[in-house]
C-alpha cells in the first residue's frame, strides 16, 4: 500500500527518445505507458519535456489537460508547472493539448468508494490507491468531481521540476560548470558569473539527458506563484471578445448545422418530412442522424429556420411520461432493496422505538445544466483524418465514439478542446459531439459547425435527478441521539459510466453522497440509499448527489435544532467530529455576526456540507421587502487544505453558491407527454444581478489534503436559504424550488 | 444590404429577417457577440446600435439603421477600454461566455450615466445572465470603471499609454464627452 501511495511521483520519470527527423525528448513512463501525446506532431528541434511541457521556437508551452469551463483550471495547473520550472505565467503559453490517455484522471473513481473523504485509515487510503489502477487502465481524460487540482498537484509540479533539472544539467554540460553552482530564473539558467542561457537554447540538449527519478520539489515557503492569486491566463481574451470558444471555430468553406432529435429522450425517430425545408434559403443538406435530423446550411440561422419546418414522427417515450410518473419511480424505490448503507452507527431501530420521533419528507426536482454556451461541435472529415473541435469534459471518450461512427483508427482522429462557456458536468456527456461526427461523415471534405438552439439544449439535457429523502430522528438535550435518513434517486454514476461503456456494479454512491459522510457524531446514525429505476437521462450536475443531499441533511438538522429550541449553528458545532469542519463553522459564525441580533424583518440561516473533501459553511441573511424575500448578505467559509490561488477559489465559491441559489429559488424541470416542458431562459431562468447578494468569503487551510473547489460552493446554498426563510417566517419548506412557496424580490 | 460595424462598411446578402447576431457571427466572422438564447433573455449577444445596447439575436438585420459597435470595437487586447481594464483588474470572467454582453451593457450604462447607483446598475445589467455567477465582480468592476471615469483625462491616458494603439476615442468616456 505504501508503495502505491508514491506512484504519482514515479510516474513522471522522463527519458530521452530519439525519433527520425530530430530529437524529441521526454516521455512519460508507467508500468504500461500511455505514450507522450506531444511527440505525435512535434516539430524538429522542439522538446516535449514530459506530456506537460513543450519547448519550441515559439517559447514554452504548458499543457493543462483539463476542460477550462470557467473554473480557472488552466491558470492553476500552469502555475504548478511554472512554479517548479521557474518561469512566470506571462512567459508561457497554456494549451489544453490533445486527447490522450496519458492525461487520465487518477482520482475520479475515489468518489465511488464507500470511504468518507475524511477517512484516512489504512484501508481507505489503500482502496484509494487501487482506484488509480483501473482509472489508469481506462485512461479516462475526464474533468469532473472537483478533482483537477488534487489530481495534478504532484504530477504537474513534478513535471516542472523534472524539466528544470534536465535544463540545468544541459547547461552544466555546455558550460562545464558544476550543476550545483547553476541557478534558474524566469526561463533562464544563470551561471555564477551571471551569464544567462535561455531554456529555449538548452531545450534540445536537455532532451539527451536522463533526469533524476524524483526531482526535489520546492517547499511552500519558496513558492512565488502558488499560494498567491494569479491573473487568469485567459482573462484578457475573455474581456475583449477574443477568447475562442467551441462555438467560435471558423474554418475555410465551413458550413453551419443544427439538429433536432426526439424530445422523448433517447428514443428513435420513425420518419420525417423535410419537403418544406429542402427549398428554404441557405439549406445545403438534410441528414438523418441518431434519433433525429440535422440541417446543414450556409448560416446557423438558416439551419435553425429550416429545422423548425421539418415534421418528425417520434417514437414515444419508453419511460413514465410525466413528472408525477417519474416521481413515482422514486417513491417506489423506498419499498425496494436498499442500494447502500454506508453509515450505520449504533442501534437506530431501537433508538427510534424508544424515543419521541420527529420525521419529515423532502424532495427536489430535475434540473438542467443550462451552460451559457449551448452545446456545439465542429467536425471535418478529410483525407482520411477526422478533426473535431468540441468543448467537452472527456476528450478520450470523443475519440472512442468518433472511431465507432467513422471506422477511422485513433491516430487519425484529432480532438481539440477549446474554451467552454460553462460545463457544470454537462459536457462530460458527448451526445452533441457524436452528432457533429455523424454530420461530418455525410459531408466529407467540408467542415461543419453544429450548434444547438437553446431550446434543443434545455430539452435534451441529461438532468440532475429528481430526488427524495425521508427522515426519522430523536432529539436529546443538545443534539440528536438518533437519525435515520433514507435517500432515493436515480443512480447518476451508474448512468453516466454506463453510457461511456463502463457499467458500474454495486452501490451508486451519488444517491447518498454528502449525506452519509458528514462529520457529525450521532450515537445512532443510519443513512440508506435507494436507487430509483434509471430510465430517464440523468447525470452529474455541479456537486452531483451533494446538490440534493445537503438540502435534505442540513434542513433536517435545522428542523431538529428548532424542535428543541436550540441554536442551529451551535448545535452543529456540538455535533461536529472533525476539527477543520468545526473551524469552518466557527469562522462563518464570526464573519456573519451570527450571535448578534438583526433588525426587524431580517433573518439568517446556516448550511454546512462536506463535499469533495471540502468542508464548506454558508450563512445567508435575508430581509422581507413588501412581502418578498430579498437575499441581502451571503457568507462562505471553506477549507481546501492548500489554497493555491485564493482569488480564483473565491470566485468558484461565490459562483458555486449562486449556482446553488438559482436552483434553490427557481430551478425546476418538469415533464409532460414525455417531453421536457422548459425550453429557454424565460421559463428556466437564473439569478440575475438584482438578486445577487453581497458576499464575504474566507478560505481556510486546516485540512490535511489539497482539494478542489469547482463544486463545494454549491451544496450548502439551498439549506442556508431555506433555513433563513424558516427563521424569518416560521415556514419549513421541504420541496424545491422555494419560489413555489414564497416570493422573492 | 450595407451594414456598418465598428467603423467598417460591409455588404451582406442575407434574408432581411436574419437577426443581426447571425450576420455578425456567420457572415462577417465577428465572434465577440455570443449566442445564448435567441429570444432576448440572456444578453450574451448585446451590441450597440448608435451607442444603445440591443440584443442582436432578436434584431432583424434589415431594421438596423445606424452604426453597430461590437465588443471588438470597444477595445482590443492591446488597447483595452476603461471598462475592459476594470474587468481584467477584477478578474471578472469565469467561463467568459457572457462577458462580451456584460461589457457591452456596462459600457452603454456608463456612457449615459458615469456614476450609477446600485439600483441603476441592477436595472441596466439584469438582462445579462451569467450562469457562472460573476455578478459580485461585475458590480465591483463597474464601480471601478465609474471611478476611473471621474478622472477621465488622467485615467484614459494612463491606460492608453500601456497600449500599442493610441486611440482614446475607444474609451467610452471620450465618445460621450
Ligand atoms: S442570445 Fe440574445 S439575448 Fe440571449
Ligand atoms: S462567466 Fe460564465 S456565464 Fe458569465
Amino acid at each position: 500500500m505504501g508503495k502505491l501511495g508514491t506512484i504519482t511521483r514515479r510516474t513522471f520519470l522522463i527519458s530521452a527518445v530519439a525519433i527520425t527527423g530530430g530529437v524529441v525528448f521526454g516521455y512519460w513512463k508507467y508500468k504500461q505507458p500511455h505514450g507522450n501525446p506531444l511527440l505525435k506532431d512535434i516539430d524538429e528541434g522542439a522538446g516535449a519535456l514530459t506530456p506537460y511541457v513543450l519547448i519550441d521556437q515559439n517559447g514554452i508551452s504548458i499543457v493543462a489537460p483539463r476542460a477550462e469551463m470557467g473554473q480557472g483550471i488552466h491558470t492553476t495547473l500552469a502555475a504548478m508547472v511554472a512554479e517548479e520550472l521557474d518561469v512566470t505565467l506571462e512567459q508561457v503559453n497554456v494549451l489544453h493539448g490533445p486527447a490522450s490517455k496519458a492525461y487520465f484522471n487518477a482520482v475520479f473513481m475515489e468518489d465511488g468508494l464507500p470511504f468518507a473523504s475524511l477517512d484516512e485509515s489504512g484501508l481507505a487510503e489503500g482502496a484509494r490507491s487501487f482506484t488509480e489502477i483501473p482509472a489508469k487502465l481506462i485512461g479516462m481524460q475526464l474533468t469532473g468531481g472537483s478533482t483537477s487540482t488534487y489530481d495534478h498537484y504532484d504530477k504537474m509540479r513534478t513535471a516542472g521540476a523534472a524539466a528544470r533539472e534536465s535544463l540545468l544539467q544541459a547547461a552544466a554540460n555546455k558550460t562545464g560548470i558544476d550543476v550545483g553552482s547553476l541557478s534558474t530564473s524566469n526561463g533562464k539558467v544563470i551561471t555564477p558569473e551571471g551569464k544567462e542561457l535561455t531554456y529555449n537554447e538548452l531545450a534540445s540538449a536537455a532532451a539527451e539527458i536522463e533526469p533524476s527519478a524524483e526531482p526535489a520539489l520546492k517547499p511552500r515557503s519558496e513558492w512565488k506563484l502558488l499560494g498567491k492569486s494569479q491573473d487568469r491566463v485567459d482573462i484578457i481574451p475573455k474581456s475583449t471578445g477574443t477568447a475562442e470558444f467551441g462555438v467560435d471555430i471558423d474554418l475555410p468553406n465551413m458550413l453551419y448545422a443544427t439538429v433536432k432529435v426526439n424530445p422523448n429522450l433517447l428514443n428513435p425517430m420513425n420518419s420525417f418530412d423535410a419537403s418544406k425545408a429542402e427549398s428554404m434559403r441557405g439549406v445545403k443538406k438534410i441528414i438523418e442522424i441518431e434519433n433525429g435530423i440535422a440541417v446543414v446550411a450556409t448560416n446557423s440561422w438558416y439551419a435553425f429556420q429550416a429545422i423548425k419546418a421539418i415534421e418528425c414522427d417520434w417514437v414515444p417515450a419508453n419511460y413514465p411520461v410525466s413528472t408525477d410518473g417519474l416521481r413515482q419511480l422514486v417513491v417506489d424505490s423506498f419499498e425496494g432493496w436498499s442500494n447502500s448503507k454506508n453509515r450505520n452507527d449504533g442501534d437506530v431501530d431501537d433508538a427510534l422505538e424508544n424515543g419521541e420521533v420527529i420525521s419529515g419528507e423532502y424532495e427536489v426536482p430535475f434540473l438542467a445544466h443550462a451552460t451559457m454556451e449551448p452545446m456545439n461541435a465542429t467536425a471535418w472529415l478529410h483525407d482520411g483524418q477526422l478533426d473535431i473541435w468540441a468543448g467537452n469534459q472527456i476528450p478520450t471518450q470523443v475519440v472512442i465514439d468518433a472511431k465507432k461512427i467513422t471506422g477511422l483508427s485513433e491516430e487519425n482522429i484529432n480532438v481539440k478542446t477549446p474554451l467552454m462557456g460553462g460545463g457544470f458536468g454537462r459536457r462530460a456527456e458527448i451526445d452533441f459531439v457524436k452528432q457533429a461526427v455523424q454530420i461530418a461523415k455525410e459531408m466529407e471534405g467540408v467542415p461543419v459547425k453544429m450548434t444547438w438552439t437553446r431550446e434543443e439544449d434545455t430539452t435534451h439535457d441529461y438532468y440532475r435527478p429528481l430526488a427524495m429523502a425521508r427522515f426519522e430522528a430523536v432529539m436529546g438535550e443538545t443534539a440528536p441521539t438518533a437519525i435515520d435518513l433514507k435517500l432515493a434517486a436515480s443512480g447518476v454514476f451508474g448512468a453516466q459510466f454506463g453510457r461511456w461503456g463502463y457499467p458500474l456494479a454495486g452501490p451508486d454512491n451519488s444517491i447518498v453522497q454528502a449525506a452519509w459522510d458528514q462529520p457529525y457524531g450521532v450515537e445512532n446514525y443510519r443513512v440508506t440509499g435507494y436507487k430509483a429505476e434509471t430510465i430517464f437521462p440523468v447525470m452529474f450536475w455541479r456537486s452531483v448527489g451533494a446538490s440534493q443531499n445537503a438540502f435534505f441533511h442540513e434542513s433536517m438538522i435545522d428542523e431538529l435544532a428548532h424542535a428543541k429550541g436550540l441554536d442551529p449553528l451551535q448545535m452543529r458545532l456540538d455535533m461536529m467530529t472533525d476539527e477543520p469542519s468545526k473551524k469552518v463553522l466557527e469562522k462563518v459564525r464570526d464573519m456573519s455576526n451570527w450571535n448578534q441580533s438583526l433588525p426587524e424583518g431580517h433573518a439568517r440561516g446556516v448550511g454546512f456540507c462536506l463535499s469533495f473533501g471540502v468542508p464548506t459553511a454558508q450563512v445567508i441573511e435575508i430581509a422581507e421587502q413588501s412581502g418578498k424575500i430579498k437575499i441581502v448578505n451571503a457568507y462562505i467559509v471553506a477549507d481546501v487544505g492548500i489554497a493555491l490561488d485564493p482569488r480564483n477559489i473565491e470566485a468558484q465559491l461565490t459562483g458555486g453558491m449562486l449556482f446553488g441559489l438559482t436552483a434553490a429559488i427557481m430551478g425546476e424541470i418538469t415533464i409532460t407527454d414525455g417531453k421536457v416542458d422548459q425550453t429557454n431562459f424565460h421559463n428556466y431562468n437564473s439569478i440575475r444581478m438584482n438578486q445577487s447578494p453581497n458576499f464575504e468569503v474566507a478560505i481556510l487551510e486546516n485540512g490535511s489534503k489539497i482539494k478542489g473547489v469547482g463544486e463545494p460552493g454549491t451544496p450548502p446554498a439551498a439549506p442556508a436559504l431555506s433555513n433563513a426563510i424558516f427563521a424569518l417566517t416560521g415556514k419549513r419548506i421541504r420541496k424545491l424550488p422555494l419560489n413555489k412557496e414564497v416570493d422573492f424580490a | 444590404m450595407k451594414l456598418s460595424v465598428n467603423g467598417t462598411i460591409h455588404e451582406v446578402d442575407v434574408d432581411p429577417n436574419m437577426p443581426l447576431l447571425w450576420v455578425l457571427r456567420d457572415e462577417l466572422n465577428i465572434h465577440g457577440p455570443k449566442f445564448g438564447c435567441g429570444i432576448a433573455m440572456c444578453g450574451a449577444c448585446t451590441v450597440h446600435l448608435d451607442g444603445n445596447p440591443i440584443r442582436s439575436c432578436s434584431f432583424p438585420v434589415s431594421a438596423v439603421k445606424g452604426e453597430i459597435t461590437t465588443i471588438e470595437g470597444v477595445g482590443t487586447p492591446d488597447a483595452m477600454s476603461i471598462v475592459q481594464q476594470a474587468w481584467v483588474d477584477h478578474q471578472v470572467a469565469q467561463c467568459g461566455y457572457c462577458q462580451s454582453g456584460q461589457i457591452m451593457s456596462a459600457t452603454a450604462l456608463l456612457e449615459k450615466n458615469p456614476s450609477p447607483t446600485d439600483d441603476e446598475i441592477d436595472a441596466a445589467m439584469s438582462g445579462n445572465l451569467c450562469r457562472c455567477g460573476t455578478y459580485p465582480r461585475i458590480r465591483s468592476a463597474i464601480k471601478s470603471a465609474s471611478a476611473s471615469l471621474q478622472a477621465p483625462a488622467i485615467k484614459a491616458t494612463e491606460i492608453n499609454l500601456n497600449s500599442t494603439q493610441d486611440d482614446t476615442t475607444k474609451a467610452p468616456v471620450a465618445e460621450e464627452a
Side-chain angles (χ1 to χ4, degrees):
Chain A
M1 305 269 164
K3 280 245 163 82
L4 281 172
T6 62
I7 270 177
T8 35
R9 283 283 174 81
R10 300 236 172 91
T11 302
F12 286 84
L13 292 179
I14 297 171
S15 79
V17 286
I19 61 163
T20 17
V23 180
V24 191
F25 61 106
Y27 85 98
W28 179 23
K29 278 203 257 181
Y30 194 41
K31 285 176 191 141
Q32 293 169 305
H34 297 303
N36 180 348
L38 300 185
L39 296 175
K40 188 176 162 193
D41 300 315
I42 200 153
D43 291 335
E44 207 169 306
L49 291 146
T50 86
Y52 301 106
V53 183
L54 175 74
I55 301 182
D56 61 17
Q57 295 85 338
N58 300 325
I60 303 163
S61 298
I62 293 176
V63 173
R66 287 293 177 267
E68 178 53 87
M69 311 179 271
Q71 79 280 42
I73 198 63
H74 279 188
T75 308
T76 299
L77 296 186
M80 291 177 187
V81 175
E83 180 69 63
E84 293 293 340
L85 187 57
D86 208 1
V87 294
T88 66
L89 279 180
E90 292 75 47
Q91 280 178 297
V92 300
N93 255 325
V94 183
L95 315 166
H96 177 280
S100 171
K101 290 181 178 180
Y103 302 125
F104 77 97
N105 187 326
V107 298
F108 186 76
M109 291 170 101
E110 286 184 17
D111 254 341
L113 295 172
F115 297 102
S117 59
L118 296 177
D119 184 352
E120 292 180 6
S121 66
L123 185 61
E125 290 288 310
R128 276 182 204 120
S129 309
F130 275 119
T131 62
E132 192 177 339
I133 310 251
K136 183 190 178 320
L137 292 179
I138 295 171
M140 214 182 249
Q141 186 181 356
L142 171 69
T143 308
S146 293
T147 56
S148 300
T149 300
Y150 163 37
D151 186 18
H152 290 92
Y153 181 57
D154 283 340
K155 284 185 203 174
M156 296 202 71
R157 286 185 307 144
T158 305
R164 179 176 168 272
E165 285 200 357
S166 300
L167 291 158
L168 273 170
Q169 189 58 52
N173 296 351
K174 191 167 177 177
T175 58
I177 300 169
D178 180 66
V179 79
S181 310
L182 296 170
S183 61
T184 56
S185 171
N186 292 344
K188 292 179 206 113
V189 176
I190 316 222
T191 68
E193 300 81 49
K195 190 169 170 263
E196 295 180 343
L197 296 98
T198 66
Y199 285 0
N200 282 52
E201 66 188 279
L202 294 167
S204 357
E208 310 286 340
I209 292 157
E210 176 95 16
S212 70
E214 293 196 15
L217 298 179
K218 282 185 193 173
R220 186 171 181 174
S221 56
E222 286 174 24
W223 283 353
K224 295 182 200 155
L225 303 176
L226 297 177
K228 300 180 179 65
S229 299
Q230 302 299 323
D231 278 6
R232 293 178 61 118
V233 296
D234 52 12
I235 197 68
I236 291 177
K238 285 180 175 176
S239 306
T240 50
T242 55
E244 190 172 69
F245 296 88
V247 82
D248 300 324
I249 297 303
D250 188 26
L251 297 162
N253 304 318
M254 187 174 77
L255 290 175
Y256 303 83
T258 196
V259 301
K260 176 156 85 175
V261 306
N262 195 339
N264 303 298
L265 298 168
L266 309 186
N267 284 284
M269 176 176 70
N270 282 325
S271 62
F272 68 98
D273 174 2
S275 47
K276 262 191 247 142
E278 273 158 5
S279 57
M280 286 173 73
R281 187 164 180 183
V283 172
K284 289 284 184 188
K285 196 161 183 172
I286 290 156
I287 297 167
E288 188 169 346
I289 58 169
E290 189 184 7
N291 299 342
I293 40 152
V295 173
V296 181
T298 56
N299 183 301
S300 305
W301 187 75
Y302 289 140
F304 293 170
Q305 298 310 107
I307 211 146
K308 273 191 234 161
I310 299 178
E311 307 276 343
C312 298
D313 178 22
W314 305 119
V315 171
N318 64 339
Y319 45 79
V321 295
S322 65
T323 314
D324 279 349
L326 289 162
R327 181 179 180 278
Q328 192 60 39
L329 296 178
V330 182
V331 173
D332 292 347
S333 74
F334 282 118
E335 309 307 320
W337 295 100
S338 65
N339 179 262
S340 69
K341 198 169 284 168
N342 293 350
R343 178 158 221 151
N344 192 3
D345 303 341
D347 188 337
V348 172
D349 292 326
D350 185 66
L352 293 176
E353 216 156 282
N354 298 307
E356 194 185 322
V357 173
I358 302 167
S359 64
E361 185 164 319
Y362 281 84
E363 183 174 333
V364 297
F366 291 106
L367 293 174
H369 297 81
T371 61
M372 273 306 285
E373 180 191 14
M375 297 305 113
N376 66 83
T378 301
W380 184 14
L381 181 62
H382 63 103
D383 310 313
Q385 297 279 318
L386 177 67
D387 293 324
I388 299 170
W389 292 259
N392 77 93
Q393 295 174 232
I394 184 157
T396 45
Q397 191 67 28
V398 171
V399 174
I400 293 170
D401 286 326
K403 185 175 157 182
K404 274 190 211 144
I405 296 167
T406 59
L408 290 173
S409 65
E410 284 182 23
E411 306 81 70
N412 298 323
I413 297 169
N414 312 303
V415 181
K416 286 151 199 133
T417 304
L419 295 173
M420 274 151 255
F424 316 126
R426 175 62 179 88
R427 293 177 209 272
E429 170 54 53
I430 53 167
D431 51 341
F432 58 100
V433 192
K434 292 193 259 181
Q435 293 169 350
V437 173
Q438 292 174 64
I439 295 168
K441 204 180 157 193
E442 298 301 318
M443 297 293 298
E444 191 162 352
V446 184
V448 182
K449 173 159 70 185
M450 186 278 309
T451 306
W452 284 12
T453 59
R454 172 60 58 190
E455 288 75 15
E456 188 74 10
D457 194 278
T458 311
T459 56
H460 293 79
D461 203 347
Y462 292 72
Y463 301 86
R464 197 288 303 276
L466 184 153
M468 297 175 79
R470 291 174 180 171
F471 81 88
E472 290 188 304
V474 177
M475 275 299 289
E477 281 314 302
T478 58
T481 54
I483 288 178
D484 188 20
L485 180 62
K486 296 178 173 159
L487 302 164
S490 293
V492 165
F493 286 145
Q496 190 58 40
F497 276 84
R499 284 192 292 269
W500 287 329
Y502 307 104
L504 288 190
D508 196 312
N509 275 341
S510 68
I511 297 164
V512 293
Q513 186 184 8
W516 73 274
D517 52 355
Q518 295 304 289
Y520 292 123
V522 180
E523 200 184 327
N524 307 288
Y525 195 0
R526 182 165 66 198
V527 179
T528 315
Y530 296 88
K531 187 167 140 189
E533 204 186 336
T534 310
I535 45 174
F536 186 74
V538 293
M539 78 176 298
F540 319 130
W541 181 98
R542 197 173 192 172
S543 81
V544 199
S547 72
Q548 73 256 17
N549 288 334
F551 173 64
F552 299 154
H553 196 279
E554 286 296 286
S555 297
M556 168 188 77
I557 296 285
D558 215 69
E559 280 201 49
L560 296 175
H562 285 292
K564 277 280 181 194
L566 298 170
D567 178 273
L569 195 151
Q570 186 56 45
M571 187 182 89
R572 284 174 172 85
L573 276 176
D574 292 341
M575 294 167 69
M576 241 164 214
T577 54
D578 170 57
E579 265 316 299
S581 298
K582 212 180 239 180
K583 293 213 171 90
V584 158
L585 206 44
E586 284 167 353
K587 180 76 183 169
V588 88
R589 174 194 66 197
D590 298 346
M591 256 167 58
S592 64
N593 297 315
W594 179 268
N595 289 327
Q596 286 172 27
S597 58
L598 286 167
E600 184 64 28
H602 286 237
R604 296 187 192 96
V606 63
F608 169 89
C609 185
L610 170 69
S611 65
F612 306 92
V614 179
T616 308
Q618 298 177 347
V619 166
I620 285 179
E621 182 190 335
I622 56 172
E624 201 214 298
Q625 286 182 355
S626 14
K628 293 182 172 177
I629 305 278
K630 166 106 183 148
I631 305 175
V632 186
N633 292 309
Y635 304 87
I636 313 175
V637 182
D639 191 319
V640 297
I642 300 168
L644 294 181
D645 189 331
R647 186 170 47 177
N648 188 52
I649 293 169
E650 185 215 75
Q652 285 308 297
L653 290 170
T654 52
M657 186 173 186
L658 282 165
F659 200 79
L661 288 174
T662 285
I665 293 172
M666 64 190 89
E668 184 179 34
I669 288 290
T670 56
I671 291 95
T672 306
D673 294 334
K675 304 169 187 66
V676 167
D677 296 317
Q678 292 71 26
T679 52
N680 203 321
F681 291 130
H682 67 291
N683 52 16
Y684 193 74
N685 204 352
S686 279
I687 281 192
R688 289 161 187 268
M689 180 69 112
N690 59 327
Q691 289 182 306
S692 173
N694 298 316
F695 280 92
E696 213 176 301
V697 177
I699 301 158
L700 304 184
E701 299 185 289
N702 299 308
S704 63
K705 288 183 183 168
I706 187 164
K707 290 293 178 184
V709 281
E711 291 162 286
T714 300
L721 177 57
S722 167
N723 293 340
I725 291 170
F726 178 81
L728 185 72
T729 65
K731 187 171 188 154
R732 175 60 62 187
I733 305 177
R734 295 194 180 86
K735 190 171 172 183
L736 298 182
L738 300 167
N739 69 358
K740 292 251 165 100
E741 299 286 334
V742 288
D743 291 331
F744 287 85
Chain B
M1 84 195 68
K2 283 198 174 19
L3 200 63
S4 179
V5 185
N6 302 327
T8 305
I9 313 254
H10 300 270
E11 181 68 44
V12 292
D13 176 17
V14 295
D15 185 326
N17 292 320
M18 182 181 284
L20 174 62
L21 175 68
W22 295 108
V23 178
L24 294 171
R25 288 188 55 82
D26 289 4
E27 303 293 324
L28 305 178
N29 287 328
I30 296 171
H31 290 155
K34 294 289 188 268
F35 168 56
C37 66
I39 58 165
M41 284 300 297
C42 77
C45 64
T46 306
V47 301
H48 294 176
L49 174 57
D50 290 333
N52 295 308
I54 59 163
R55 309 297 182 216
S56 66
C57 69
S58 306
F59 206 99
V61 64
S62 52
V64 175
K65 305 272 183 277
E67 170 70 14
I68 295 295
T69 309
T70 70
I71 180 96
E72 289 91 342
V74 165
T76 63
D78 293 329
M80 285 187 283
S81 73
I82 285 177
V83 176
Q84 290 171 320
Q85 185 63 51
W87 247 247
V88 170
D89 293 344
H90 288 270
Q91 297 282 302
V92 172
Q94 289 187 30
C95 85
Y97 195 78
C98 72
Q99 300 298 344
S100 292
Q102 305 279 5
I103 289 170
M104 294 311 282
S105 291
T107 301
L109 165 68
L110 290 168
E111 281 181 1
K112 303 234 149 38
N113 177 2
S115 38
T117 62
D118 273 333
D119 286 347
E120 289 167 340
I121 293 175
D122 285 350
M125 300 302 295
S126 288
N128 288 81
L129 204 148
C130 176
R131 281 291 279 165
C132 299
T134 62
Y135 304 122
R137 290 189 186 180
I138 291 176
R139 190 184 296 283
S140 308
I142 291 176
K143 289 184 172 172
S144 285
S146 164
S148 301
L149 292 172
Q150 306 311 307
I154 305 161
K155 205 64 189 179
T157 319
E158 261 176 21
I159 286 164
N160 282 287
L161 277 180
N162 291 335
S163 66
T164 54
Q165 285 178 23
D166 188 26
D167 186 358
T168 40
T169 60
K170 292 280 159 71
V173 66
E175 214 124 60
E176 274 298 280

